[in-house]
């Protein structure tokens, strides 16, 4: 339907769109970043002003009131935004995973969600929640990817520009891939990691064109972000146009403690493996706690009035703030600042009731800093950097206390009604864990020759791996954002050990949330145990079908009674092509598509034989479709009426697949004909026009048909997909699984050897739950057979 | 056939093998590197010793004699090694591409090839050829990947260890992927790029397990290499165990010229695009020249005595050495050394008849250096670094002259009988091109505020892109090895422009060499124009088939007469399951596999109908298979003999696919039975035993059968693949293409709606040439139809 010219045109538009997606995503990331910076700056400025005024007068609780007030105020904003658009809660990565996996996720990629998410994350991060901005940023990128190429209804239509591009699911999914890659690139300064992320979560198979585009998109996003950042005070000493900034996460350069020690040496690998295993255990427990909490929350909080959701958010903000303040005040230790690191981290140490140092220019040089306050009254990124690079010792109780606080509060926070990334809190908790171990070793007098920061990094990787069960792409992101190729091997090994240990207990947190929401995500491999299953065992044998030429009224009824998204186009086995057409009164000379694949009269004898051989064949019985037995096809058959009845029950020759949206659009556009006038009088409709309303097609209830119209006939054979991927009924499940993942399918018709449709497999049939049910049914049935 | 325990065992073995592959690859890369270093050091030491003695006495041609002697000596070694094992010539990347694409490449992955390649590249690089060591290193990694898991015949068998693992093509291909990734990681210090390389060239679809393993393998290789390197004088100031080395290619850190200028700013992007276009043109011309040369060489040099091959190599060495010496002596310019860069590049500037400076300790500080000699009497890596970072100006004539020399000599060298990487020479040529442009601009008085090194880098990318038409993975490798994320966007844009411009004229050089050798590589997309073709148009309708139970003699004859690697297992349409068995005299109670999919008696009437409807159906006629019409199946049919004859001509029901190697092994192991004793007496054989000899299966001519054995029957149904991927005869070609690429197929049976086998598609049917023939045939035929 496209001319050669249009092909090139489309390719060009694709590149332009991709560049736009990258630029907009980078800009949004920049805005989020700047917004958080100023909101947080405002909060801490006021807090420390009041703190300075009151620290000696004993009325320091006023400072607590200030910071608590700010945090509650911010949290109300975040909570309300999410209450308005509930899908903006959480990190968004599970949703993006599902979307790219090929699942229809309503509202995930709307402008409204973008606004709620991007503004919400400003307030949730600035409000002192233990959440990261990276997940929401990836989600924002994905929404930008979904939105920009579809701007039609907002812009082009009003400007009356012709813009007939990208009106199908595959294109949209590709753009969302690019957007997600751009989001990752902006969030972590890791464009290659971004491409891998979208490849891993999204692509069925390696698509070179898509890979180029997403790399380009990720690069545009990184460069845009860096360009904007270079012009702001967020990056010290940079002039606008100097582009050499990292992404939003910057782990800083690892030194080796100024001594001749190494970053790591081989014997330490064993210790790293132990840390990885510990991270896996801690992560698994985190996931288990969070799972129970999430289920409880879904039952008891989210079902009730939306106000409870906001109240919970405020409660979390209060608890976080108050506990941090009290702990830091009462239990923080004053630690002397070591000169070497003073310069680099002067801005982010907090002296909080410790002996003050000098203030030079605007930088406060502390002779002592409160280690707990330094961890708790900072952005999480600064806390991580402190743990990675601060040579001044954190004391063991401080690290332990901070770890426990962070662990449980972060666990409580993830899943509440605020936009909340998981990456940064996990890194913080893990860095505390790693730093705790090295400090414990030092306290116990075990000599170590390597940098304490290395342990913090390894601990961070271990815990992150234990919670999200790092995929390849996340590993690459971590390696890329560390920017030290030297850490590649230990990071990789730690992450893998953590993943393996964690997998003994439960799944990654993203996957758990997907499962809790009962979304049929397809994993990477078919589960091992189900090797014995075949397509027949998992398919839904309840065929929903129409004939190539059907009455409009019966199609309408079918659409109203069922919720299926795809329907078989079939002809009954016992009726030959000519018979079918005559039985519904169409003139014989009509050019029916399915004559090309005409049903062979030899099939007619099939049913008679079939009955005779029923035991030998042991074929599954198929439920009768509920809709189409309204007599339309009860034409004369050349065989006995007994055979005919069998036909109605059993056997339909498969011709193609047609989507619900196509049927609705065909009816809405009145693409049907009067049976007295013949099929030639059916008006044609172009592919473009049929997809005009993508992705918001009308429902069947939006269409009003007159009784006369219901009596008309529709020839769907021109619009169906005449050769979708199909699978043989005795194909092993692994094959089914591969086809689904690889080709990104939603519906897979199961066809018998001789072209008889016997069932349909959808994603829901491939969920763990369903597969185990099928397996159980089979082994039960099998043992019966053997009796 | 595997128990649960064995599964885990295999998974563990897989990880161990992968780690070993990484370690060995890293070690080989290290050895190559050290070998080249010392061979080259020896050469230049002697050369400069003689040069120092003779430079003032006018007998400096003695120095020329020394260096020419060394180079000829080295080139003889390289030439002879390649003469012994011809597949060790060239970069090896085309061969690895083909191997990973799923093509059987004889001798590519043998130990012998590894030795020839690894030793050959030592001498070719040290011998002053304009070749790189990176391609051969990747090839070496791939061979290690293929070899280590298959060490059985060398080691395990002699130690009598049980080692029944990894005996099939898929496993082997996966290990080769990992090895190639390790090779890239070692060569470029780019483990992520390595993973992408093997994913892009090898994987059909994203396989998470494989990706983890290849990342691990690449990391092991990088770390191993760095560990070894840290202990040698190759890396100054490093102690053994300090791992922070880059890979073998290190571009050095880009400064911004010590001024306040930037590495690049946005307006320069337009200039970079122009440079990219120029690089594309230069690359396309390079490819075109090299193609003509390669074809000429294949016809006139390689066909003759092997001595000509070695002589050509020696000639290239002579010409390179002499022309470089004369040019550097006569036309080199003396350029003052700028202090800032002196320290860093003191070792690699050459003063060559320029005023000498002081020698301090062992480092020679030149006040002046000969710019042409600096480029020509250095390793190419050092030349590249000079071009990237040397602030002292290279003069315009020098750059131009060096460019012309390098361009033509490199073009001549690639494809000659030495192991020769393409990456580094292209970078050198491109860096000369980029540096030439900035120098020309500076000479013309156009002010530039950015670092000249940036232009050299962009030029290098442009030319490399123009020659090899960079894929995504190579782009990532370049970005990774530059180690400046800032250069990501300009590099990406330049590479893409160069690729697009070059693609207007010809293909990438690797692909050209693959095409010249007539290897049926499957590209990324099916060619655009062939959208109209269907499976029927491209398939080979000449069925080579056997029956589920066949006479051993007829199988033997089939194997001897044909060269096919896979055979259909079919039954004739007109004979039902019982009839077939009875016709070959097997007792009816035998448990034949194909009863599961029994041929339905309804098919019997098919042929009668078929004849009647021949015009309506317009089905293709299939050639009769030449072998199996030896009367085995002429059993009684319930219909007319006319119908039976039709059956012999036309219609076979498809049951499965069996490989040549399986048939040969079955015969060799005497897996057949006497027809008087029944199928139960056929001895069983395990999957493991059947694949014992993988990958070097016996041929059919290695087996001696007695006449009595030829009369026996074989039931292949237990060993065939009962449900391979198949495709419907009217599926569009794009579908065929996707299945082949995605699932890594070699054979795709084409099946009609009712289970009738109608043809086979292999890779050879999907080559450009064949597709265009099919397209031509179809349009010709189509126009006839319309008449």
């Amino acid at each position: 339907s496209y001319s050669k010219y249009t092909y090139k045109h489309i390719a060009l538009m694709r590149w332009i769109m991709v560049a736009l997606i990258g630029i907009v995503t980078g800009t949004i990331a920049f805005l989020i970043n700047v917004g958080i910076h100023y909101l947080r700056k405002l909060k801490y400025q006021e807090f420390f002003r009041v703190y300075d005024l009151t620290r000696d007068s004993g009325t320091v609780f006023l400072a607590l009131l200030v910071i608590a007030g700010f945090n509650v105020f911010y949290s109300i904003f975040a909570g309300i935004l999410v209450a308005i658009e509930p899908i903006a809660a959480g990190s968004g990565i599970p949703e993006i995973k599902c979307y790219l996996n090929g699942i229809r996720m309503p509202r995930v990629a709307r402008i409204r969600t973008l606004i709620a998410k991007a503004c919400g994350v400003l307030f949730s991060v600035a409000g002192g929640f233990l959440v990261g901005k990276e997940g929401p940023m990836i989600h924002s990128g994905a929404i930008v990817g979904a939105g920009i190429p579809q701007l039609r209804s907002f812009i082009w239509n009003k400007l009356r520009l012709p813009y007939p591009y990208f009106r199908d699911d595959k294109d949209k999914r590709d753009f969302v891939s690019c957007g997600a890659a751009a989001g990752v690139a902006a969030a972590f300064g890791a464009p290659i990691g971004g491409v891998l992320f979208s490849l891993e979560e999204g692509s069925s198979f390696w698509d070179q064109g898509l890979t180029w585009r997403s790399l380009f998109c990720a690069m545009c996003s990184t460069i845009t972000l860096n360009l904007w950042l270079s012009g702001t005070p967020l990056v010290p000493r940079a002039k606008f146009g100097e582009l050499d900034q990292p992404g939003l996460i910057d782990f800083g350069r690892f030194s080796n403690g100024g001594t001749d020690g190494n970053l790591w040496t081989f014997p330490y690998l064993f210790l790293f493996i132990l840390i990885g295993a510990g991270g896996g255990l801690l992560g698994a427990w985190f996931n288990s706690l969070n799972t129970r909490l999430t289920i409880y929350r879904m039952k008891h909080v989210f079902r009730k009035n939306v106000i409870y959701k906001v109240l919970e958010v405020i409660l979390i903000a209060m608890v976080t703030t108050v506990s941090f303040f009290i702990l830091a005040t009462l239990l923080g230790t004053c630690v002397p600042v070591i000169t070497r690191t003073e310069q680099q981290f002067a801005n982010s140490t907090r002296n909080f009731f410790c002996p003050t140092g000098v203030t030079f220019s605007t930088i406060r040089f502390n002779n002592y800093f409160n280690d707990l306050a330094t961890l708790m009254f900072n952005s999480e990124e600064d806390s991580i950097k402190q743990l990675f690079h601060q040579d001044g010792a954190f004391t063991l109780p401080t690290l332990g206390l901070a770890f426990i606080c962070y662990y449980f509060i972060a666990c409580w926070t993830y899943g509440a009604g605020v936009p909340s990334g998981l990456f940064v809190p996990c890194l913080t908790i893990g860095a505390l864990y790693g730093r705790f171990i090295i400090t414990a070793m030092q306290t116990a007098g075990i000599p170590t020759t390597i940098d304490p920061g290395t342990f913090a990094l390894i601990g961070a990787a271990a815990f992150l791996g234990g919670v999200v069960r790092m995929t390849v792409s996340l590993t690459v992101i971590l390696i890329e954002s560390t920017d030290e190729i030297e850490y590649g091997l230990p990071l990789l090994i730690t992450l893998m050990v953590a993943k393996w240990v964690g997998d003994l207990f439960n799944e990654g947190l993203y996957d758990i949330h997907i499962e809790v929401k009962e979304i049929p995500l397809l994993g990477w491999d078919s589960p091992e145990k189900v090797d014995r299953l075949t397509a027949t065992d998992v398919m839904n044998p309840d065929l929903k079908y129409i004939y190539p030429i059907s009455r409009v009224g019966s199609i309408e009824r079918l659409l109203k009674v069922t919720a299926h998204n795809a329907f078989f186009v079939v002809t009954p086995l016992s009726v030959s092509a000519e018979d079918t057409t005559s039985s519904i009164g169409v003139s014989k000379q009509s050019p029916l598509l399915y004559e090309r694949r005409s049903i062979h009269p030899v099939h007619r004898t099939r049913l008679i034989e079939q009955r005779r051989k029923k035991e030998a064949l042991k074929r599954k019985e198929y439920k009768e479709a509920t809709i189409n037995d309204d007599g339309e096809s009860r034409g004369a058959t050349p065989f006995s009426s007994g055979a005919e009845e069998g036909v109605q029950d059993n056997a339909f020759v498969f011709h193609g697949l047609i989507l619900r949206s196509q049927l609705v659009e065909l009816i809405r556009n009145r693409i049907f004909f009067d049976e007295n006038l013949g099929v030639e009088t059916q008006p044609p409709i172009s592919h473009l026009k049929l997809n005009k309303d993508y992705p918001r097609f009308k429902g069947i209830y939006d269409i009003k048909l007159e009784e006369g119209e219901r009596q008309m006939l529709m020839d769907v054979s021109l619009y169906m997909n005449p050769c979708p991927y199909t699978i043989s009924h005795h194909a092993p499940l692994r094959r089914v699984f591969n086809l689904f993942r690889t080709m990104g399918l939603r519906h897979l018709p199961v066809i018998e050897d001789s072209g008889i449709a016997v069932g349909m497999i959808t994603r829901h049939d491939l969920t763990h739950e369903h597969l185990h049910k099928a397996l159980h049914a089979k082994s039960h049935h099998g043992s019966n057979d053997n009796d």
Side-chain angles (χ1 to χ4, degrees), chain A:
Chain A
S1 64
Y2 290 123
S3 69
K4 176 87 188 170
Y5 173 76
T6 325
Y7 261 131
K8 279 192 179 165
H9 208 132
I10 289 175
L12 181 67
M13 281 306 288
R14 219 183 278 276
W15 281 102
I16 294 174
M17 286 300 145
V18 159
L20 274 179
I21 291 168
I23 292 167
V24 173
T25 304
T27 308
I28 289 176
F30 167 73
L31 291 177
I32 290 177
N33 209 32
V34 169
I36 290 173
H37 176 80
Y38 283 107
L39 285 176
R40 190 191 276 135
K41 193 176 169 189
L42 185 68
K43 179 176 88 174
Y44 281 124
Q45 229 169 20
E46 283 306 301
F47 168 64
F48 281 111
R49 200 174 56 80
V50 177
Y51 163 80
D52 283 337
L53 290 175
T54 58
R55 69 169 283 185
D56 301 319
S57 66
T59 53
V60 82
F61 68 92
L62 286 174
L64 173 61
L65 277 186
V66 169
I67 195 163
F70 267 103
N71 283 351
V72 167
F73 185 69
Y74 288 168
S75 68
I76 289 173
F77 268 104
I80 286 178
L81 280 166
V82 170
I84 293 171
E85 186 55 74
I87 204 146
S91 81
I93 290 183
E95 284 81 9
I96 298 306
K97 265 180 92 157
C98 293
Y99 190 100
L100 292 179
N101 197 262
I103 297 162
R104 244 175 245 279
M105 300 282 293
R107 314 187 62 76
V108 157
R110 295 279 173 86
I111 290 277
R112 211 174 121 136
T113 311
L114 174 63
I115 293 168
K117 193 115 200 177
C119 297
V121 78
L122 283 184
F123 291 104
S124 70
V125 174
F129 288 96
L130 296 182
V131 299
K133 56 184 182 263
E134 284 68 24
M137 222 168 259
I138 297 169
H139 191 172
S140 304
I143 299 175
V144 170
I148 288 199
Q150 310 285 343
L151 274 183
R152 190 162 179 265
S153 37
F154 297 99
I155 297 177
W156 307 133
N157 265 11
K158 282 183 191 146
L159 296 179
R160 295 180 183 281
L161 288 174
Y163 181 75
Y165 307 112
F166 315 131
R167 315 248 60 134
D168 64 50
D169 278 357
K170 183 176 177 329
D171 274 332
K172 191 167 177 184
R173 208 155 71 105
D174 283 358
F175 283 118
V176 171
S177 277
C178 290
V184 174
F188 301 106
I192 298 166
V195 173
L196 282 175
F197 177 83
S198 72
L199 270 180
E200 184 169 27
E201 300 301 347
S203 305
S204 24
F205 55 108
W206 183 285
D207 176 339
Q208 210 178 24
L210 176 61
T211 313
W212 274 117
R213 283 194 297 276
S214 51
L215 186 59
F216 182 68
C217 188
M219 281 293 171
C220 285
S221 157
T222 312
I223 294 282
T224 307
L225 174 64
N226 286 351
L227 185 69
W228 290 131
L229 280 180
S230 69
T232 65
L234 272 69
V235 182
R237 287 181 299 280
K239 283 184 304 186
F240 186 73
E242 289 186 352
L243 303 165
D244 197 9
Q245 318 309 325
L248 294 185
I249 277 203
D250 170 21
F251 289 136
R253 283 201 75 79
F254 281 82
S255 61
N256 42 21
T259 65
D260 281 338
N262 287 305
L263 295 191
W264 64 280
T265 50
F266 275 94
Y268 282 96
L269 271 186
F270 296 98
L271 194 55
F272 296 162
I273 288 174
L274 286 182
I275 294 178
L281 286 174
L282 287 169
W285 196 44
F286 188 94
N287 290 0
S288 151
L289 287 179
N290 189 272
T291 310
R292 270 178 266 169
L293 190 67
T294 305
I295 292 170
Y296 179 86
R297 189 180 266 144
M298 283 175 72
K299 271 192 196 148
H300 298 102
V301 182
F302 283 13
R303 291 263 170 86
K304 290 184 185 166
N305 196 318
V306 76
I307 201 78
Y308 286 98
K309 220 166 162 178
V310 181
L311 283 179
E312 191 203 5
V313 169
I314 296 172
L315 183 65
I316 296 175
M318 289 292 291
V319 169
T320 310
T321 314
V322 172
S323 63
F324 277 17
F325 187 86
I326 292 175
L327 288 173
T329 311
L330 298 181
L331 299 172
T333 317
C334 289
V335 176
V337 175
I338 290 176
T339 326
R340 203 177 65 84
T341 54
E342 175 154 350
Q343 197 71 33
Q344 202 178 351
F345 301 105
N347 268 322
S348 59
T349 53
R350 301 295 180 204
N351 84 328
F352 224 73
F353 299 107
C354 288
T356 37
V358 281
T359 299
F360 179 71
S361 175
T362 59
I363 299 169
R364 182 198 302 258
F365 287 90
N366 303 315
N367 289 334
Y368 289 90
F369 66 94
N370 181 325
D371 57 355
L372 203 48
T374 299
L375 294 178
M376 287 176 162
F377 287 87
N378 258 320
S379 70
E380 284 181 279
E381 285 83 358
D382 281 332
S383 305
I384 292 175
K385 273 194 224 171
Q386 287 282 346
L387 290 166
F388 281 179
H389 303 298
Q390 177 64 263
D391 292 325
F394 293 95
T395 60
L396 214 50
T398 293
L399 290 168
L401 211 59
F403 176 79
I404 291 168
C405 266
Y406 268 74
Y407 190 90
F408 289 103
I409 295 179
C411 188
W412 183 17
T413 311
Y414 187 75
V418 286
S420 54
L422 193 56
F423 218 80
V424 168
C426 284
L427 286 179
T428 318
I429 296 168
L432 285 166
Y433 156 64
R435 190 86 191 214
F436 183 84
I437 285 177
I438 178 75
T439 311
M441 280 171 61
Q442 283 167 344
T443 312
I446 302 166
T448 56
T449 55
I450 65 174
D451 186 32
T454 299
F455 277 86
L457 177 65
I458 294 295
F463 188 70
L464 186 62
V467 172
V468 304
R469 308 296 149 76
M470 305 289 287
T471 53
V472 177
S473 57
L474 289 177
T475 307
V476 169
I477 290 170
L478 204 60
I479 293 173
E480 248 191 298
S481 56
T482 328
D483 206 14
E484 311 261 352
I485 193 73
E486 184 177 353
Y487 280 133
L489 188 68
L491 280 179
L492 187 66
I493 288 176
T494 312
L495 284 165
M496 287 199 300
V497 170
K499 182 183 161 66
W500 287 333
V501 171
D503 280 348
L504 297 177
F505 300 96
N506 46 33
E507 289 187 287
L509 197 50
Y510 295 142
D511 294 319
I512 287 175
H513 275 250
I514 290 170
E515 214 164 272
V516 165
K517 288 174 191 158
E518 291 174 358
I519 302 168
L521 187 83
L522 287 191
W524 280 111
D525 299 301
S526 56
E528 263 181 41
K529 286 184 196 161
V530 298
D531 267 359
R532 293 169 43 207
L533 294 177
T534 63
T536 315
D537 298 319
V538 298
M539 72 184 185
N540 179 359
D542 182 11
L543 293 181
K544 301 293 177 193
Y545 59 85
I546 61 173
Y547 294 141
I549 294 187
S550 307
R551 238 167 256 288
V552 174
S554 68
I555 295 178
E556 188 195 11
R557 234 178 316 150
L558 177 71
L559 292 172
K560 283 185 174 168
V561 176
T562 66
H564 290 58
N565 276 314
F567 301 93
F568 286 85
V569 180
V570 298
T571 46
L573 183 57
S574 72
V575 189
S576 76
E578 290 86 348
D579 296 333
T580 315
T581 51
S582 65
S583 74
I584 49 174
V586 182
S587 55
K588 296 196 192 207
Q589 70 274 24
S590 67
L592 290 177
L593 185 71
Y594 60 96
E595 273 190 356
R596 265 181 27 206
R597 322 175 61 191
S598 62
I599 315 111
H600 222 276
V602 294
H603 287 305
R604 289 172 193 164
T605 52
R606 189 187 160 94
L607 272 156
I608 308 162
E609 281 293 328
Q610 194 171 327
R611 296 234 163 130
R612 238 202 292 140
K613 288 200 151 199
K614 207 156 193 173
E615 293 80 9
L617 286 168
K618 275 182 200 148
R619 285 223 285 108
K620 199 157 179 170
E621 293 220 348
Y622 315 115
K623 288 184 204 158
E624 193 177 352
T626 50
I627 299 299
N628 274 42
D629 53 353
D630 53 6
E632 272 184 17
S633 63
R634 288 182 197 262
T637 52
F639 292 93
S640 71
S641 65
E644 192 208 340
E645 194 146 31
V647 168
Q648 295 292 334
D649 282 356
N650 269 329
F652 296 96
V653 176
F654 177 75
H655 294 290
L657 215 55
I658 192 155
L659 299 178
R660 166 177 287 268
S661 64
Q662 288 176 314
L663 287 176
V664 172
E665 286 298 306
L666 286 174
I667 294 178
R668 198 165 72 91
N669 288 287
R670 267 61 184 174
I671 309 299
F672 37 65
F673 61 97
D674 188 324
E675 69 186 279
N676 300 317
L677 297 176
V679 70
E680 310 85 23
T681 60
Q682 175 168 309
I685 185 169
S686 72
H687 176 78
L688 275 181
K689 196 148 181 235
L690 209 57
N691 283 304
K692 196 166 63 81
D693 282 343
Y694 177 85
R696 290 168 214 184
F697 291 112
K698 293 272 187 301
I700 184 68
Y701 289 100
D702 300 331
I703 300 168
K704 291 240 156 59
L705 284 173
E706 286 165 32
E707 202 43 53
E709 289 177 324
R710 291 209 172 84
Q711 290 305 316
M712 307 274 263
L713 291 171
M714 179 188 288
D715 176 7
V716 300
S717 59
L718 289 166
Y719 306 103
M720 72 184 184
N721 178 359
C723 43
Y725 286 96
T726 61
I727 200 148
S728 152
H729 65 110
H730 52 237
L733 189 68
R734 190 170 294 276
R735 176 80 44 89
V736 174
F737 215 87
N738 274 352
L739 261 180
F740 255 87
R741 269 250 44 147
T742 312
M743 304 302 181
L745 303 182
R746 281 189 181 137
H747 310 279
L748 183 63
V750 182
I751 307 293
E752 254 191 17
D753 287 351
S754 353
I756 311 291
V758 295
M760 177 83 96
I761 299 178
T762 60
R763 277 166 183 270
H764 281 278
D765 299 322
L766 298 176
T767 53
H768 272 257
E769 205 185 340
H770 193 274
L771 289 181
H772 282 288
K773 219 179 282 170
L775 192 65
H776 185 74
K778 182 158 196 177
S779 47
H780 194 65
H781 191 247
S783 62
N784 277 0
D785 277 359
N786 293 340
D787 288 347

